[in-house]
């Protein structure tokens, strides 16, 4: 992989300036029954997590046609905190060097999930404008770790060091905060994917709930406390039928375990903000795509399978209804992440105690232009110059929803968020990267 791949990473200008507008986090008014239903569901999730690992692995294996002892071992490895050794003078030197602020009034940012799709792009954008950036990632095998290692190499060329470790490792997190007085945390580490929750549900609770709580526990005790921007998801809207989706809409009807863990994260964020004074901003991402993306996303594996001559599933809802997504290009998401970071107020706690009310926000980051999945395939056909073998199927009951559509007025008002990349333009950039990175149809088998 050559250094030319850096050309596919977005350049992001300096910090956003917040307009003189106030943002008040309005409480959502749910019925008492809806609240009770959600928290009972959350309780069941926690019970699931605290089952023995072997039980979780066996249930995961029984639901998969590829079950074997190796898949059980793989599941356990995902949950292991011993992903890599850390510590020592040389290690501390690399940590400090990566996190060093190189611009006036710059931030020192811990980016969790830095070897992930969004994490890589955000890390490079922060570093380019002079912020200190330290990455953290456990490099799990939910999808090809080689792609994550390639992103790691890209970040290293930008002067960004990724600590290999798990967000559930409290000792590691405490050590990092001892070494670096982070002003901000960009929390992007998570177990992603809607359908995989049916195979390995425990991994979602482990990362998206237990891991988030562990990170907040360390942040609450840090001095100074950092401001935290974290990745929620558009999946929290679940079975909501009102469009476009607004932050004021109800989010107590999750359609997947993934969505339920992200909704739980929003409630947990409220708790730590209320009790400990942590400044928290949640970002509900809408179907992010682009270069260096995730192989489990439809646009990615559609591209791979079209090139290989394999059929691709095109889902349709009941009565031949259209399935559509609010596809959002990665550069636009990065601008939203930096805008949220730049307008995040300081946390108000000290020594684990709240001193004053703190900022609590949630924003949609989408493109506001839902596109039918069939149209996505047509664009890929034109760009790849290959006809796709379409296999029309009913939308399965595995957590997928029929449509997503973001109302972004809050993000636009608070930090000028304005997506500018249409799907045709964004997919053209993705295909160019894909062909450059994988090189040939055979290599794209990875």
């Amino acid at each position: 992989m050559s250094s030319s791949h850096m050309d596919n990473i977005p350049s992001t200008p300096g910090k956003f300036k917040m307009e003189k507008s106030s943002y008040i986090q309005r409480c959502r008014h749910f019925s008492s029954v809806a609240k009770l239903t959600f928290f009972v569901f959350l309780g069941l999730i926690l019970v699931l997590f605290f089952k023995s690992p072997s039980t979780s692995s066996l249930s995961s294996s029984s639901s998969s046609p590829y079950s074997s002892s190796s898949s059980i071992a793989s599941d356990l490895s995902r949950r292991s905190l011993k992903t890599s050794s850390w510590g020592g003078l040389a290690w501390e030197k690399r940590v400090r060097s990566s996190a060093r602020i190189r611009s006036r009034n710059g931030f020192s940012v811990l980016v969790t999930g830095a070897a992930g799709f969004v994490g890589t792009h955000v890390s490079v954008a922060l570093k380019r404008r002079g912020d200190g950036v330290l990455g953290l990632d456990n490099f799990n095998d939910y999808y090809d770790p080689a792609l994550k290692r390639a992103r790691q190499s890209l970040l290293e060329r930008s002067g960004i060091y990724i600590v290999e470790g798990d967000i559930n490792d409290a000792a590691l997190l405490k050590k990092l905060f001892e070494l670096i007085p982070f002003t901000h945390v960009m929390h992007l580490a998570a177990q992603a994917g809607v359908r995989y929750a049916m195979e390995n549900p425990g991994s979602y609770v482990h990362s998206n709930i237990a891991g988030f709580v562990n990170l907040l526990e360390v942040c609450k005790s840090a001095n100074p406390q950092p401001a935290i921007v974290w990745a929620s998801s558009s999946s929290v809207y679940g079975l909501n039928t009102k469009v476009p989706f607004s932050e004021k809409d109800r989010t107590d009807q999750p359609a997947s375990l993934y969505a339920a863990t992200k909704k739980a994260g929003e409630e947990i964020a409220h708790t730590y903000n209320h009790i400990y004074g942590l400044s928290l901003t949640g970002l509900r991402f809408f179907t992010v795509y682009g270069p260096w993306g995730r192989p489990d996303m439809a646009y990615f594996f559609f591209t791979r399978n079209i090139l290989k001559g394999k059929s691709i599933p095109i889902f349709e809802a009941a009565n031949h209804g259209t399935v559509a997504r609010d596809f959002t290009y990665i550069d636009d998401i990065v601008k939203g992440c930096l805008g949220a970071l730049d307008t995040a107020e300081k946390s108000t706690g000290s020594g684990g105690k709240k001193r004053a009310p703190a900022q609590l926000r949630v924003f949609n980051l989408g493109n506001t232009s839902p596109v039918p999945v069939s149209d996505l395939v047509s664009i890929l056909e034109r760009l790849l110059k290959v006809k796709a073998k379409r296999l029309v199927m009913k939308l399965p009951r595995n957590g997928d929803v029929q449509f997503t559509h973001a109302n972004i007025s809050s993000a636009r008002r608070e930090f000028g968020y304005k997506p500018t990349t249409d799907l045709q333009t964004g997919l053209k950039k993705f295909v160019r990267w894909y062909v450059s990175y994988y090189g040939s149809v055979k290599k794209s088998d990875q």
Side-chain angles (χ1 to χ4, degrees):
M1 185 177 59
S2 68
S3 60
S4 64
H5 292 313
M6 284 292 292
D7 296 337
N8 292 320
I9 292 293
S11 58
T12 303
K15 299 176 182 177
F16 292 84
K17 294 182 180 179
M18 181 170 64
E19 309 223 353
K20 296 291 183 179
S21 62
S22 62
Y23 181 88
I24 301 175
Q25 176 65 33
R26 296 177 175 85
C27 296
R28 303 177 201 86
H29 298 287
F30 303 129
S31 69
S32 59
V33 175
K35 277 188 175 181
L36 179 61
T37 300
F38 175 76
F39 285 107
V40 168
F41 186 42
L42 176 56
L44 291 174
I45 292 175
L46 293 174
V47 169
L48 172 67
F49 173 66
F50 286 110
K51 282 185 177 181
S52 67
S54 59
T55 303
S56 173
S57 299
L58 288 173
S59 63
S60 170
S61 299
S62 65
S63 65
S64 170
Y66 306 104
S67 60
S68 66
S69 59
S70 62
S71 68
I72 295 175
S74 176
D75 177 54
L76 292 177
S77 69
R78 284 193 192 92
R79 296 183 60 177
S80 172
L81 302 185
K82 299 178 180 178
T83 42
S84 179
S85 60
W86 52 268
L89 294 177
W91 178 83
E92 291 183 8
K93 183 178 180 180
R94 293 192 72 182
V95 167
R96 288 193 175 97
S97 176
S98 184
R100 186 175 300 121
I101 299 171
R102 303 178 188 280
S103 66
R104 186 177 182 182
N105 300 320
F107 298 147
S108 179
V109 187
L110 173 65
V111 180
T112 70
F117 173 32
V118 178
T120 295
H121 285 265
V122 169
S123 295
V124 170
L126 290 170
K127 195 72 172 181
R128 278 184 171 174
R129 70 181 199 178
D131 291 330
V133 182
L134 179 68
L136 176 66
D137 205 291
N138 67 1
F139 294 91
N140 71 23
D141 61 351
Y142 167 61
Y143 61 80
D144 184 16
L147 180 58
K148 299 179 184 181
R149 294 298 180 182
R151 297 185 189 126
Q152 179 185 29
S153 297
L154 184 150
L155 293 182
E156 287 178 348
R157 291 198 294 273
S158 297
I160 299 169
Y161 176 51
I162 299 181
V163 174
E164 186 167 347
D166 196 289
I167 56 174
N168 281 282
D169 190 341
L172 171 57
L173 290 178
K174 289 176 182 176
K175 182 62 177 179
L176 294 178
F177 274 87
E178 287 176 8
L179 294 172
I180 308 296
F182 294 108
T183 60
H184 295 74
V185 172
M186 179 66 72
H187 177 47
L188 301 172
Q191 176 59 63
V194 169
R195 301 170 196 168
Y196 182 62
M198 298 183 72
E199 297 179 34
N200 188 7
S203 66
Y204 288 79
V205 183
H206 179 71
S207 295
N208 302 355
I209 297 179
F212 190 29
V213 169
N214 191 62
L215 176 65
L216 294 178
E217 280 290 306
V218 174
C219 289
K220 83 174 189 191
S221 300
N223 193 11
Q225 289 180 337
I228 303 163
V229 177
W230 69 284
S232 182
S233 170
S234 61
S235 295
V236 300
Y237 292 108
L239 302 178
N240 182 37
T241 57
K242 174 183 169 294
V243 290
F245 299 156
S246 167
E247 294 91 342
K248 301 173 187 176
D249 294 341
R250 63 184 297 181
T251 54
D252 61 337
Q253 303 177 92
S256 67
L257 180 62
Y258 169 70
T261 60
K262 285 300 186 179
K263 170 61 179 174
E266 293 188 357
E267 301 300 334
I268 290 167
H270 179 277
T271 302
Y272 275 79
N273 168 269
H274 174 68
I275 298 176
Y276 301 109
L278 285 175
S279 170
L280 283 145
T281 301
L283 302 176
R284 295 173 177 171
F285 297 153
F286 281 71
T287 317
V288 189
Y289 74 100
W292 295 100
R294 279 178 23 216
D296 64 314
M297 297 293 285
Y299 72 93
F300 200 114
F301 68 77
F302 280 2
T303 299
R304 179 181 64 232
N305 288 351
I306 289 173
L307 288 173
K308 291 167 64 177
K310 291 186 176 182
S311 62
I312 58 174
I314 308 296
F315 295 132
E316 64 177 20
N319 300 317
H320 304 289
T322 299
V323 174
R325 292 289 181 269
D326 199 349
F327 296 101
T328 312
Y329 190 62
I330 183 62
D331 286 23
D332 293 322
I333 290 292
V334 169
K335 292 175 183 176
C337 288
L338 268 60
L341 200 78
D342 292 340
T343 57
E345 297 175 0
K346 292 182 178 180
S347 293
T348 61
S350 177
K353 294 182 180 180
K354 182 179 180 179
R355 307 297 180 184
Q359 186 182 54
L360 179 66
R361 308 182 295 175
V362 64
F363 296 109
N364 289 336
L365 293 185
N367 196 51
T368 75
S369 301
V371 176
V373 174
S374 57
D375 289 1
L376 164 77
V377 176
S378 296
I379 295 173
L380 287 175
E381 287 177 325
R382 291 195 295 272
L383 293 172
L384 297 170
K385 296 180 174 59
V386 178
K387 190 70 174 177
K389 297 179 180 178
R390 305 186 187 208
L391 182 61
V392 179
M393 305 169 63
K394 289 184 179 180
L395 186 67
R397 295 178 61 86
N398 60 4
D400 279 318
V401 295
Q402 183 177 351
F403 55 82
T404 60
H405 185 185
N407 178 332
I408 60 169
S409 57
S410 291
R412 180 185 294 117
R413 181 174 62 251
E414 288 303 303
F415 45 83
Y417 175 69
K418 185 179 180 181
T420 58
T421 309
D422 60 59
L423 188 59
Q424 171 80 31
T425 302
L427 284 178
K428 184 176 182 180
K429 294 179 180 179
F430 165 73
V431 167
R432 184 186 304 127
W433 168 83
Y434 186 95
V435 173
S436 174
Y437 180 76
Y438 287 106
S440 68
V441 175
K442 287 186 178 181
K443 190 176 179 184
S444 70
D445 289 348
Q446 297 178 20

